[in-house]
Amino acid sequence: MKLKTIIALSLFLGFSINNYSQLTAKENTLSKIRSEGFNNSEAMNMLSEFTDVYGQRLTGSREYYKAANWISNKMKKVGLQNVHFENYCSDCRGWSIKTFNVEMVAPNYMKIAAYPLAMSKSTDGIVSGEIISIEDIGDMTKVRNEFSGKLKGKIILLGKEPKKKSLLDTIEFRYSDKQLKRMEQQVTSKVKTTPLPELFKEWEIEDEQEVPFLEFLEAEGALALLNTQPSYLGVLHPKEIYYYKDSDLKPLSYFSIMPEHFGRLFRMIKLNTTPTIRLNLNAEFYSEPENNVNIIGEITGADAKLKSESIMLGAHFDSWHSGTGATDNGASCIVLVEALRILKQINYKPKRTIRIGLWGGEEQAFLGSAAYAKEHFGALNEKPNAESTKVSAYLNLDNGAGVIRGVYLQKNELARPIFQEIFEPISNLSSGAITIENTLSTDHETFDHYNIPSFQFIQDALAYNTSTHHTNLDLLEYVHENDMIKNAVILAWTIYSLDNMKEKIPRKKNNPQ
């Protein structure tokens, strides 16, 4: 064999062996992630303790802070470093329920399924009053003209009879292949994002729309307010109200009641029969700024050059108060912690720093993530600072507890080939659908505003939009264990893959909003 041939063959074999070893290392890591995630998962045990024992996590509440301490200890136990709290609000008040009851006592008895809206004031003990129906408050001048002097000692039934939902409707949903294909085939985003300062202002205006009516009821001496929202099979969906600052309105006792019970009361009034309601609410307001914390932790990068860069993971930690926040958003918080536990257990040492943020106040106005971003990346209305450029990607999880089916690119087409490469080896776990579309209303919008490559995963909705989102059924029963386990494995693999990129994920050009 000629010397040139031997040299060429040696170079080829050396390249092939080197390339094979690189592929093998990647495959071995995925095998280790799968083995640890599927055989030794702690996800459901953690989620049960988190939601069943610590319960609801309303922004500003003592329950939130107790749960924050629990999960920070859990993060330390799985081996995360630099676990700490960062305060996000100095004047967000707390509110907790001690007891409540609502019942009809005339013309006959009915126990009313109800839940008080957050930030409602206590009643003066047990109170009773006749129902007065107010169907529409869009024109407050008309409301004042019709009801002034008539509401003292009354209980207000607000709204019209809700439309009944069919018992034949599907309650749990998973994406079909056809739906995912349609999402992938989109060439432009149809959903417009709004710059955060404008978005926050819009929400502030929306939050205040009901204030004139509530102040009118208080001035007129009404005792309480009952409303409802259409839902399935008697599900209670307390209306979201956003009076969370120390200086905000404290509305009179305000309850959401089961649609079927609301419908009966409404029809009785139409039949010239006035129901009498007996109710009470004992709730506590308090101002404890120490409750208002984001929970931060990390696996510190081991590469001397790359450890100053980070891959960020986030999920909102707060919930509404009538359930335990299992699907919104406890499951996602636990999936993030479980994914990092997996990486620690297989002794993976990341090159870049992997940082987790569990955000408070998302339900109000991204309070936690916005405060973090302003502290670390600069003011909302200014050019992002140098620290923001060190974040390679922000991954957000907050669409219920369903399995991950793909990712929203948030209009960042440059990230498509990266996620294609990530999803290809785990095609038996996730469909890997990649859509150019924006999705809204969760914390990735904060980081997207700073032109950090930010992504929310596509997840099967399951019963999220029909039964659990912000309702009294947001409980562990509606979390599928297999989906939780898969999600942690998918996320651990995604983190590993992003960490082993030579470069950061490309940013969107001109940061189009």
Side-chain angles (χ1 to χ4, degrees), residues 75 82-84 86 294-298 355-357 359 372:
M75 289 161 66
N82 194 24
V83 177
H84 65 282
E86 294 187 16
N294 295 319
I295 307 101
I296 312 297
E298 66 184 41
R355 184 166 294 121
I356 179 175
W359 315 118
Y372 180 91

Side-chain angles (χ1 to χ4, degrees), residues 256-273:
S256 189
I257 69 173
M258 195 169 77
E260 293 84 347
H261 290 171
F262 187 101
R264 181 184 175 190
L265 297 175
F266 185 86
R267 293 188 298 272
M268 289 172 71
I269 293 168
K270 294 295 184 183
L271 294 168
N272 298 314
T273 301

Side-chain angles (χ1 to χ4, degrees), residues 107 172 391 407 420 442 513:
E172 285 201 336
V391 182
V407 69
Q420 286 174 334
T442 189
Q513 295 289 344

Side-chain angles (χ1 to χ4, degrees), residues 330-401:
S332 297
C333 294
I334 296 301
V335 164
L336 265 58
V337 174
E338 171 70 2
L340 297 181
R341 186 198 67 80
I342 291 169
L343 294 176
K344 291 294 292 185
Q345 283 297 114
I346 67 170
N347 201 31
Y348 177 66
K349 293 178 172 53
K351 300 174 178 67
R352 297 171 171 88
T353 294
I354 313 302
R355 184 166 294 121
I356 179 175
L358 303 179
W359 315 118
E362 185 269 353
E363 298 290 3
Q364 283 62 43
F366 307 164
L367 299 181
S369 62
Y372 180 91
K374 285 185 278 190
E375 176 68 23
H376 293 272
F377 308 139
L380 288 175
N381 56 357
E382 296 177 3
K383 183 179 178 180
N385 64 21
E387 186 178 347
S388 72
T389 66
K390 294 181 180 294
V391 182
S392 176
Y394 173 79
L395 306 175
N396 198 74
L397 203 59
D398 175 25
N399 275 166

